[in-house]
Amino acid sequence: MIELNLPHYPFKIKTVGQSKQIFDELRRKYVALTPEEWVRQHFIKYLTLVKGYPSGFFSVEREHNYNDLNKRTDLIIYSRNLKPWMICEFKAADVAVSQEVFYQIARYNLSFDVPYLVVSNGLEHYCCQKVNDQFHFLDDVPEFENVS
């Protein structure tokens, strides 16, 4: 897998047949090691080990309905009062973080109305904060201690 613009973490990886799987500590099982999953697993480790987010507040691949279509968010992080607080959308490192990716996460946010959105392809990371119905880019993802 490609080297990302995130700290390196040791992961449990195994080969099954001709494909590789990575152990997802949140789901407590091995999942297909796709380029997008590689980014997700790194970013989850970054959030927990660097930013202090408790993994118990994470939900991976949560289903929601948008325009009568079933969708899945890559990662939702809940606040201390257990309300959706941040949505993260991950792309493979070779996928550009385009305006369409921001449209995608904004559409998902219609179901959750969270104050923070994060988009990352492992090389570029963007965090936006909703203030008065407008999103503003931040320099970094906030520390969890600042979560209400």
Side-chain angles (χ1 to χ4, degrees):
M1 286 286 162
I2 190 170
E3 188 76 22
L4 302 176
N5 185 16
L6 290 161
H8 177 75
Y9 301 105
F11 293 104
K12 295 178 189 174
I13 297 174
K14 69 179 185 177
T15 302
V16 177
Q18 296 201 354
S19 64
K20 291 195 180 278
Q21 295 185 340
I22 187 167
F23 188 75
D24 182 333
E25 293 177 6
L26 297 177
R27 291 179 273 183
R28 295 183 175 94
K29 66 179 183 178
Y30 280 91
V31 296
L33 179 53
T34 63
E36 181 179 312
E37 191 65 43
W38 183 243
V39 173
R40 178 185 4 230
Q41 292 301 318
H42 273 81
F43 212 88
I44 287 171
K45 286 287 191 188
Y46 171 74
L47 290 172
T48 57
L49 298 176
V50 176
K51 294 296 185 173
Y53 286 63
S55 62
F57 288 112
F58 291 8
S59 178
V60 175
E61 300 252 334
R62 172 149 177 231
E63 289 187 25
H64 63 98
N65 193 288
Y66 173 74
N67 279 351
D68 295 325
L69 298 171
N70 289 330
K71 299 290 186 179
R72 291 177 186 259
T73 56
D74 288 340
L75 178 66
I76 295 180
I77 301 168
Y78 292 85
S79 66
R80 287 185 175 89
N81 60 7
L82 302 180
K83 293 188 179 188
W85 183 75
M86 178 184 284
I87 299 173
C88 300
E89 178 64 27
F90 304 113
K91 299 297 181 188
D94 63 349
V95 175
V97 177
S98 66
Q99 187 64 48
E100 182 54 40
V101 176
F102 286 100
Y103 289 148
Q104 177 186 4
I105 197 169
R107 284 189 301 270
Y108 289 175
N109 197 36
L110 294 174
S111 299
F112 297 102
D113 193 30
V114 299
Y116 291 92
L117 302 176
V118 171
V119 174
S120 176
N121 66 1
L123 302 174
E124 297 178 295
H125 324 291
Y126 299 94
C127 182
C128 303
Q129 180 182 17
K130 186 177 180 182
V131 178
N132 299 325
D133 291 329
Q134 293 186 344
F135 280 95
H136 302 278
F137 284 93
L138 303 177
D139 292 334
D140 200 2
V141 176
E143 304 282 334
F144 190 77
E145 66 188 31
N146 298 325
V147 176
S148 55

